[in-house]
């Protein structure tokens, strides 16, 4: 194993620059001559715009322009599209096409959620732009609103879009309805559950931002923006601006967290590019934190009814799911994909359930639009299934462990084709569970519960299995360039949002070519650098780039053997490559790859017909997903007198295939666990049902978990290699937040079982726990 290769806990290359404060985030970027943008946002959830009077604002010192929806329409700009039809074409009942409303850059006639931008002020400073926005007079005629997911289709609910009666955007069905109905007919037991998967606000540490510029001479736009899929952003924004993709360059620097939200194009990004052309100077915008609460894509927000059919031996026969998913006022770039395909195709989870049928109704409400967030539909499916399985364990008397053991997919059935059209290529789910039970001392829990009882506390333990399918663009590009200063530059089309891509990908390059690890630099985030890039999302980047690096390395090795043979005066068939050395077989005659790269730049040293340089480009193509999986166990203790909840111990056993960097993997899991536990226990996105106001619009009202809220994490891995890529790697970035939510909720329900509590919804606030614990006297 190479010292800095795959499998080693190599320290992150990125951290030195970041810890010294030398990293350039979006906020750190300024362009000469730039102006600053500020967006005036609607205070109403649903209202007609009667008039926008910007005369006072335009007369203020330092104001360059005030742009509104009328200006957008006059210039013929497009709307922010939903690109779902390329992935899953959806319909409404009766074969009526789905309805995706126009997502206006700036609406001219009506606003549909609090925080929707209605005017863009451009001024010499951000402060002057903000002050000028306060002097724009907007006359609204307020309309009734609807914000509740389960109320969107009510007969008396106000309609957001006339083209979508009942606020219904689509209905998605997946699975075999007839087989499920037949299985329920013969079932010995039916377990049912109603639950809410609560809405979350993403809140990465770095807000969104963008700086647009336009070069009149070349006719090209340049957009600096913290987006972790710059190539897709380029395609979408070029469509909005009605320009060719070649006329738009996207540059993304260091990103301080994205979690899916920064994958999406938001209206402000094309607006600053358009505005830069109109005012003939760069236009800069950075979101304020409160602005992000009102305008960043939000996530989750399901209301579901689920039923599980079992036979007399508690074997699962069928699963039936009915879900209403809240899309918000508009339909974001990929808004429908999470609650449709990505959600329903993982409803088998880790179990042999012969028949599954799901129906999802995508509805629109006067709320911020939702889209993919870490896990993208899979945390929602795992939460539903694992809550339901736990309830089945209680109702059958088998308990959480035995009900799972009877129904878990055995390793000898891999590859396993689930009834919702996905194949699990590898995994040992039962071993994950057995290891996790042992590490968590599950069977010694009764003693810990008794000790807690003596102290007047309720202690609970909960578990959850999960299976994830990694998704994303099936293509990824890289270039490998040998520089004259003996460094090597690796460029990839994906984009890190804090995961440490530069370190991981350097490990692959070091492993495959043996180039010195400390000589490898990593570049990303520039759409001019490569013809194509798949972006970060769906836990795809590691294995997609690894495969592309391997393809590029193979090309370099093949060319290197020919050049080495020429320099060492032998046949190319006699050259062997290993550990960065080209060696003549059976001899000690060799040349190192970096020396060979230097020779390759010297045309005098090349054989006839060989192009100079060892540089290569490669593109991987992997259609099939990887299938990470695992078992998580959470142990909690709560105070029935106050509702205070303590997350005591968290144990997780995961299968990510071949582990690339154990230390960085642990960091990824810790982050995912914190986000999952955050949704389960702390985060509560609340809209007022009458006014549509976001009541949790700041950190005074929306609680994110802190380090001291987290339990001790005990992590282990089972490496079951996949054959879907050359390194056997499975994605890991989203796994932590998938099972953590049901694990902690199941643990709290276990703690409350002695009080007769059978149901509780997120978030598990002290008030909610206290009410549940004391509801029965």
């Amino acid at each position: 194993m190479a010292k800095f290769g795959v499998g080693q806990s190599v320290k992150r290359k990125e951290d030195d620059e970041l810890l010294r404060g030398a990293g350039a985030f979006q906020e750190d970027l300024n362009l000469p001559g730039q102006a600053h943008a500020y967006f005036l946002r609607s205070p109403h959830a649903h209202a007609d715009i009667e008039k926008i009077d910007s005369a006072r604002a335009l007369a203020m010192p330092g104001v360059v322009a005030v742009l509104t929806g009328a200006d957008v329409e006059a210039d013929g700009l497009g709307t922010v599209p939903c690109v779902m039809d390329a992935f899953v074409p959806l319909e409404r009942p009766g074969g009526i096409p789905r309805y995706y409303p126009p997502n206006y850059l700036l609406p001219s006639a009506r606003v549909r959620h609090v925080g929707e931008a209605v005017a863009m002020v451009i001024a010499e400073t951000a402060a002057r732009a903000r002050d000028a926005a306060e002097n724009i007079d907007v006359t609204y005629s307020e309309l009734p609103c609807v914000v509740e997911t389960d109320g969107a289709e009510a007969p008396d609910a106000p309609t957001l879009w006339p083209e979508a009666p009942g606020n219904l955007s689509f209905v998605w069905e997946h699975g075999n309805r007839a087989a499920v109905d037949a299985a329920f007919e013969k079932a010995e037991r039916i377990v049912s559950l109603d639950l809410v998967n609560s809405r979350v606000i993403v809140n990465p540490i770095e807000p969104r931002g963008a700086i647009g510029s336009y070069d009149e001479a070349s006719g090209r736009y340049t957009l600096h923006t913290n987006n972790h899929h710059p190539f897709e952003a380029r395609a979408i924004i070029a469509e909005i601006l009605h320009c060719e993709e070649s006329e738009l360059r996207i540059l993304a620097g260091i990103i301080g967290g994205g979690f899916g939200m920064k994958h999406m194009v938001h209206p402000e990004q094309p607006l600053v590019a358009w505005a830069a052309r109109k005012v003939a100077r760069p236009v800069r915008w950075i979101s304020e934190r409160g602005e992000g609460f009102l305008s960043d894509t939000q996530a989750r927000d399901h209301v579901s009814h689920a039923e599980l059919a079992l036979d007399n031996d508690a074997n699962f026969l069928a699963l039936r799911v009915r879900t209403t998913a809240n899309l918000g006022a508009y339909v974001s770039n990929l808004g429908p994909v999470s609650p449709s395909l990505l959600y329903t195709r993982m409803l088998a989870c880790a179990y042999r359930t012969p028949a599954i049928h799901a129906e999802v109704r995508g509805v629109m409400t006067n709320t911020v639009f939702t889209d993919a967030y870490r896990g993208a539909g899979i945390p929602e499916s795992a939460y539903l299934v694992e809550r339901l399985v736990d309830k089945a364990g209680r109702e059958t008397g088998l308990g959480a462990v035995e009900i799972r053991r009877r129904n878990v997919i055995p390793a000898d059935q891999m590859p396993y084709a689930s009834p919702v059209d996905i194949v699990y290529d590898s995994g040992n789910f039962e071993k994950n569970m057995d290891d996790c039970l042992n590490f968590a001392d599950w069977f010694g829990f009764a003693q810990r519960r008794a000790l807690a009882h003596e102290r007047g506390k309720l202690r609970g333990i909960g578990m959850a299995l999960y299976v994830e399918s990694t998704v994303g663009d099936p293509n990824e590009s890289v270039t490998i360039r040998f520089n004259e200063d003996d460094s090597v530059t690796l460029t990839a089309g994906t984009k890190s949002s804090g995961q440490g891509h530069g370190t991981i990908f350097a490990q692959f390059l070091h492993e495959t070519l043996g180039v010195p690890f400390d000589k490898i630099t990593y570049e990303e985030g520039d759409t001019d650098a490569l013809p194509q890039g798949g972006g970060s999302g769906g836990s795809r980047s590691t294995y997609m780039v690894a495969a592309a690096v391997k393809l590029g390395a193979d090309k370099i090795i093949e060319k290197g053997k020919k050049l080495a043979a020429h320099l060492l005066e032998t046949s190319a068939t006699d050259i062997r490559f290993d550990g960065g050395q080209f060696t003549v077989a059976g001899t000690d005659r060799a040349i190192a790859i970096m020396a060979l790269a230097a020779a390759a730049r010297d045309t005098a040293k090349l054989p006839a017909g060989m192009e100079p340089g060892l540089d290569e480009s490669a593109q991987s193509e992997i259609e099939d997903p990887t299938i990470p999986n695992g078992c998580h166990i959470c142990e909690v203790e709560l105070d029935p007198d106050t509702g205070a909840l303590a997350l005591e111990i968290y144990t997780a056993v995961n299968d990510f295939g071949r582990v690339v960097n154990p230390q960085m993997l642990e960091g990824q899991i810790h982050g995912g666990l914190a986000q999952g536990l955050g949704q389960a226990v702390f985060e509560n996105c609340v809209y007022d049902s009458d006014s549509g106001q976001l009541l949790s619009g700041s950190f005074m009202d929306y609680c994110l978990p802190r380090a001291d809220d987290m339990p001790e994490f005990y992590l282990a891995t089972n490496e079951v290699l996949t054959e879907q890529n050359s390194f056997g790697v499975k994605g890991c970035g989203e796994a932590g937040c998938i099972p953590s939510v049901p694990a902690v909720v199941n643990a709290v329900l276990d703690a409350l079982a002695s009080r007769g509590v059978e149901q509780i919804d997120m978030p598990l606030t002290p008030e909610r726990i206290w009410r549940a614990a004391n509801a029965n006297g």
Side-chain angles (χ1 to χ4, degrees):
M1 182 182 293
K3 180 179 179 181
F4 297 101
V6 174
Q8 299 296 303
S9 288
V10 177
K11 291 185 178 180
R12 286 168 38 115
K13 280 176 168 283
E14 299 86 347
D15 287 348
D16 178 69
E17 179 182 59
L18 294 173
L19 290 171
R20 288 186 294 104
F25 292 85
Q26 187 72 34
E27 171 70 25
D28 300 310
L29 182 63
N30 293 278
L31 298 183
Q34 69 190 9
H36 297 261
Y38 182 85
F39 289 92
L40 178 65
R41 299 184 181 275
S42 169
H44 302 293
H46 201 193
D48 286 329
I49 302 172
E50 302 292 345
K51 182 182 179 181
I52 299 178
D53 184 351
S54 57
R56 285 196 302 150
L58 282 167
M60 293 179 69
V63 174
V64 176
V66 176
L67 302 173
T68 67
D71 299 298
V72 171
E73 292 175 3
D75 283 7
L77 300 187
T79 57
V80 181
C82 175
V83 296
M84 265 293 297
D85 288 341
F87 304 97
V88 185
L90 300 173
E91 294 182 339
R92 287 177 284 180
I96 301 172
R98 86 292 178 278
Y99 180 67
Y100 299 158
N103 189 349
Y104 300 111
L105 300 183
L106 293 170
S108 60
R110 180 174 290 184
V111 292
R112 290 177 172 83
H113 70 85
V114 172
E116 184 170 5
V118 296
M120 179 185 190
V121 182
I122 303 168
E124 297 296 340
T125 68
R128 286 188 169 184
R130 185 186 303 107
D131 290 344
E134 294 177 359
N135 284 275
I136 297 174
D137 295 318
V138 184
T139 304
Y140 295 99
S141 177
E142 197 168 355
L143 300 168
C145 67
V146 58
V147 296
E148 298 91 350
T149 304
D150 55 356
E153 293 187 88
D156 59 347
T159 300
L160 272 73
W161 301 93
E163 300 88 344
N167 296 315
L168 184 65
S169 171
F170 69 84
V171 175
W172 164 256
E173 291 197 52
H174 199 173
N176 190 325
R177 182 190 288 267
V180 167
D181 290 346
F184 271 83
E185 285 292 327
K186 67 178 183 180
E188 292 292 331
R189 181 187 296 272
I190 296 173
V191 179
S192 62
L193 180 64
D194 293 297
L195 54 80
V196 174
N197 199 302
S198 51
R199 181 180 281 234
V200 294
I201 300 172
V202 178
N203 277 316
I205 194 169
E206 179 204 29
R208 289 188 296 118
I211 304 181
S213 61
Y214 181 75
D215 181 62
E216 188 71 39
S218 65
R220 291 195 83 200
Y221 296 94
T222 299
L223 181 66
H224 298 261
T225 186
N226 45 5
N227 177 283
H228 54 82
H229 197 334
F231 288 87
E232 183 173 88
R234 180 181 64 178
I236 291 173
I237 296 171
E239 178 183 333
I240 294 168
L241 297 176
H242 301 307
C243 69
E244 298 296 324
E245 288 188 40
S246 60
E247 295 173 328
L248 172 62
R249 181 185 188 185
I250 303 286
L251 289 164
I254 299 173
I255 296 178
F259 311 118
M261 181 270 288
K262 288 182 186 167
H263 180 123
M264 310 309 157
V265 171
H266 293 68
E268 298 87 354
Q269 292 159 310
L271 281 172
V272 296
W274 166 69
R277 183 173 184 175
K278 289 188 76 68
V279 302
R281 58 193 290 191
V283 175
R284 180 182 192 264
W285 169 75
I286 298 291
S287 174
E288 297 177 353
R289 179 61 65 183
E291 197 175 7
F293 273 90
L294 295 171
S295 62
D296 297 346
T297 60
Q298 298 174 0
R300 312 294 191 230
D301 205 341
H302 289 191
V303 174
S304 297
H305 176 74
E307 298 174 294
L308 182 65
L310 299 90
D311 67 15
N312 199 43
D313 294 320
N315 295 307
F316 298 169
L317 298 177
L319 174 65
R320 179 189 287 146
V321 176
R322 300 292 178 264
T323 293
T324 301
N326 194 338
L327 304 175
Y330 299 95
V331 180
S332 183
N333 302 163
L334 297 170
V337 74
S338 294
S340 60
L341 177 65
L342 301 186
Y343 168 61
T344 59
R345 74 173 184 169
M346 299 312 298
L347 286 169
C349 196
Y351 306 108
R352 292 175 288 105
T353 308
I356 297 175
H357 181 263
E359 179 184 283
V360 178
R361 303 177 71 84
V363 298
M364 290 173 286
T365 65
N366 296 108
T367 61
V368 178
F369 35 89
T370 58
D371 211 312
Y373 170 64
R374 200 170 192 170
I378 305 173
E380 294 92 315
S381 64
Y383 181 61
L384 181 144
V385 172
E386 289 302 300
R387 284 285 309 276
L388 192 58
V389 170
D390 238 43
K391 188 174 184 184
R394 290 192 299 272
E395 291 191 5
T396 60
L398 293 175
V401 175
E402 183 56 30
I403 192 71
R404 287 175 169 84
R405 195 176 301 283
R406 290 194 184 192
N407 291 283
V408 72
I409 301 166
D412 61 11
Q413 288 191 15
M414 297 294 173
Y416 177 83
S418 88
V420 274
D421 308 313
I422 190 165
V423 175
Y424 302 164
D425 72 294
S426 61
N428 192 333
F429 305 160
E430 192 165 12
K431 185 177 189 317
N432 294 338
M433 184 169 68
D434 287 337
D435 288 352
C436 202
L437 290 168
N438 289 331
F439 296 149
D441 189 22
W442 179 282
F443 300 106
F445 172 72
Q447 183 179 5
R448 299 191 294 279
R449 170 175 272 167
L451 291 172
H453 181 72
E454 291 176 5
R455 293 182 282 107
K457 303 296 177 64
L458 302 177
R459 201 167 180 102
I461 193 167
M463 72 185 306
L465 305 186
Y466 80 97
V467 181
E468 180 190 0
S469 170
T470 60
V471 295
D473 193 314
N475 298 282
E476 191 55 81
S477 297
V478 301
T479 62
I480 303 168
R481 187 173 70 250
F482 291 83
N483 305 311
E484 292 189 7
D485 63 357
D486 284 337
S487 66
V488 181
T489 300
L490 173 65
T491 305
T494 186
K495 178 71 190 78
S496 173
S497 55
Q499 302 95 325
H501 285 175
T503 302
I504 294 292
F505 301 159
Q507 288 183 256
F508 285 119
L509 190 58
H510 177 70
E511 178 94 359
T512 53
L513 283 182
V515 296
F517 182 79
D518 61 351
K519 295 290 187 179
I520 300 171
T521 59
Y522 176 61
E523 294 181 352
E524 59 176 2
D526 183 353
T527 57
D528 277 5
L530 292 166
Q532 179 272 343
S536 177
S539 300
R540 65 177 289 281
S541 293
T542 297
Y543 65 86
M544 291 298 301
V545 173
V549 166
K550 178 68 165 58
L551 291 171
D554 287 345
K555 292 181 182 180
I556 290 168
I557 292 168
E558 186 64 25
K559 184 176 182 180
K561 285 181 176 180
K562 295 176 182 177
L563 178 56
H566 175 72
L567 296 175
L568 297 172
E569 299 179 334
T570 188
S571 168
T573 58
D574 292 331
I575 297 294
R576 305 290 182 265
F577 179 79
D578 182 60
Q581 296 281 330
F582 292 89
T583 306
V584 179
T587 76
D588 59 359
R589 296 167 60 212
I591 184 170
I593 189 168
M594 298 306 291
L596 191 72
R601 291 191 289 270
D602 185 348
T603 56
K605 295 181 178 179
L606 300 180
M610 178 174 282
E611 291 292 324
L614 287 185
D615 303 351
E616 281 292 350
S617 299
Q619 181 171 307
S620 59
E621 182 174 346
I622 302 176
E623 295 282 351
D624 294 323
T626 68
I627 307 293
N629 57 86
C631 175
H632 289 211
I633 294 174
C634 184
E635 194 166 326
V636 303
E637 189 169 283
L638 58 90
D639 185 339
D641 295 329
T642 66
L645 172 64
L647 303 171
E648 295 289 343
I649 305 169
Y650 198 100
T651 307
V653 176
N654 299 286
D655 166 18
F656 299 121
R658 190 177 183 189
V659 174
V660 180
N661 185 313
Q663 185 179 64
M664 291 177 63
L665 171 66
E666 188 171 298
Q668 281 288 300
I669 302 307
H670 284 180
L673 292 175
Q675 285 185 279
L677 297 174
Q679 181 187 7
V681 180
F682 302 96
E683 300 180 48
N684 194 16
C685 179
V686 181
Y687 285 89
D688 181 74
S689 58
D690 293 326
S691 67
Q693 295 294 324
L694 179 63
L695 301 181
S696 52
S698 75
F699 288 137
M700 294 293 289
D701 309 293
Y702 188 89
C703 182
L704 288 183
R706 301 183 181 186
D708 60 355
D709 294 315
M710 293 295 100
E712 291 289 332
F713 295 134
Y714 297 94
L715 307 181
T717 56
N718 282 324
E719 293 192 25
V720 182
L721 273 58
T722 178
E723 295 184 1
Q724 308 289 38
N725 58 77
S726 52
F727 284 91
V729 172
K730 302 175 184 179
C732 72
E734 299 167 293
C737 69
I738 295 173
S740 49
V741 179
V744 69
V745 177
N746 285 341
V748 168
L749 284 171
D750 182 60
L752 293 170
S754 62
R755 298 287 180 106
V757 178
E758 295 184 355
Q759 167 66 355
I760 195 167
D761 279 320
M762 301 182 286
L764 302 172
T765 60
E767 179 189 5
R768 189 165 285 180
I769 290 174
W770 180 85
R771 290 187 182 279
N774 295 282
N776 299 320

